Amino acid sequence: MAIKDYIRERFFPHLWCSGCGHGMVLNALLRAIEALDIHKSDIVMVSGIGCSSRISGYVDFHTMHTIHGRALAFATGVKMSRPELNLIVPMGDGDALAIGGNHFIHTARRNIDMTAIIMNNRIYGMTGGQYSPLSGFGTMATTAPYSNIDHDFDVVELAKAAGASFVARSTTYHVQQLTNILKAAILHKGFSAVEVLSQCPEYFGRKNKMGTPADMLEYYKENTTTIGSKKKQENPDLLERGIFVQNDIPEYCSEYDKIIEQAKKTSGGKTK
Amino acid sequence: MAKPKLKEHLINRDWCKGCGICVELCPKNVLELDNENKAVAARPVDCICCKMCELRCPDLAIEVITEDDK
Ligand SMILES: Cc1ncc(C[n+]2csc(CCOP(=O)(O)OP(=O)(O)O)c2C)c(N)n1
Ligand code: SF4
Ligand code: SF4
Ligand code: SF4
Ligand SMILES: [Mg+2]
């Protein structure tokens, strides 16, 4: 299948601004799914609210466009009722880690089989450039005109601490690595958290004088490196990219099935 | 494997938003924005068919077709 077979062409050109990284995440994700050769009716994409969350309108899978911060909760319901389907949950940084922060850590802890993609542009794009929990100290935003005094999360460390069994990070500059990581994340049985640094030229870029969309991509190239590289030893400020965690631990839906079996046995088959 | 040979760049002018990502990041400086701010292959002979423009386009607007592609 060509990647165009996985989109709803009638809604293109999409609504994202010129040079928005979210379109590049879509591009990489479509290539990952094409490479895995998953049938589109075996995929459910659940998103919340934000520019990032609009991605669910463009893919020709089963899709749910739900409410801000709650995509993982809806996805949990879908997965529990149809565990054979592949759940993909793209979220904005605000969606996943401000309003949705609690859902995020507890879904990770529970280890339910789904792929969460945190499309981190370090801003609330949809609502006009307010700072997010990922903006970081010293950045500019509509709501931080004299610079932001909030510190940011490290999404990878947060996901690790919350118990996610697959944790990875890449950027929109590194589209081939991103596609490979998304493939591994989708195949992983358990909760996968993939952080993608995704540029918002319209707000984060403009407020922070980051230049053209291509300049923002060059910034990802200059300021990141592969996990454990020599460059990282020389410059500890570089952000690492790659797969940080890939653990095989009991998955929620499988364990739930076992509980049902056990309950049937101990009730002497009465529920059968 | 033989070096892929370029057939053409398929650029969807209705979808291209002229962001310049493909133009600025092409390793061989093959692409340009025209006077309508749409990507065009100005120097196709220089193209090495790496397909990075296609993989990076946020708008799924550019495809690099090689002789090997069906
Ligand atoms: C319950 C609720 N609170 C607030 C909003 C307003 N709102 C819409 S999108 C958004 C944040 C968007 O930022 P992010 O999640 O980072 O996505 P982006 O647009 O940057 O991709 C907010 C606060 C809402 N829609 N619903
Ligand atoms: S406001 Fe930012 S995140 Fe939203 S579509 Fe525009 S560039 Fe993308
Ligand atoms: S990257 Fe895509 S949208 Fe941007 S200028 Fe090139 S073809 Fe147009
Ligand atoms: S395939 Fe590579 S060399 Fe050819 S135009 Fe695209 S980015 Fe440039
Ligand atoms: Mg955001």
Side-chain angles (χ1 to χ4, degrees), chain A residues 3-50:
Chain A
I3 64 159
K4 293 258 168 71
D5 296 331
Y6 288 103
I7 59 172
R8 297 171 180 153
E9 282 200 50
R10 62 189 182 280
F11 297 137
F12 282 70
H14 58 52
L15 93 170
W16 292 313
C17 304
S18 173
C20 176
H22 295 348
M24 302 175 74
V25 178
L26 171 65
N27 191 333
L29 176 66
L30 294 173
R31 288 175 206 281
I33 289 166
E34 182 195 29
L36 294 175
D37 197 22
I38 307 176
H39 196 274
K40 52 189 181 180
S41 58
D42 291 333
I43 305 172
V44 188
M45 182 181 278
V46 184
S47 68
I49 299 295

Side-chain angles (χ1 to χ4, degrees), chain A residues 85-161:
Chain A
L85 298 177
N86 294 288
L87 268 288
I88 300 178
V89 190
M91 296 175 284
D93 47 316
D95 198 37
L97 295 162
I99 190 169
N102 239 307
H103 292 295
F104 182 78
I105 56 174
H106 292 289
T107 313
R109 176 178 62 79
R110 187 176 267 161
N111 196 36
I112 187 162
D113 183 21
M114 56 182 64
T115 301
I117 305 171
I118 300 97
M119 297 159 76
N120 179 9
N121 56 14
R122 306 177 66 188
I123 202 102
Y124 289 176
M126 175 157 276
T127 46
Q130 297 84 357
Y131 63 83
S132 88
L134 274 304
S135 295
F137 186 86
T139 55
M140 304 298 252
T142 314
T143 44
Y146 303 103
S147 100
N148 184 19
I149 57 170
D150 271 26
H151 298 277
D152 54 347
F153 283 130
D154 180 322
V155 182
V156 164
E157 292 303 326
L158 182 72
K160 275 159 76 174

Side-chain angles (χ1 to χ4, degrees), chain A residues 19-22 24 120-121 172 197-201 213 216-217 220, chain B residues 21:
Chain A
C20 176
H22 295 348
M24 302 175 74
N120 179 9
N121 56 14
T172 47
L197 306 186
S198 171
Q199 75 279 6
C200 168
M216 296 184 80
L217 292 172
Y220 293 151
Chain B
I21 287 174

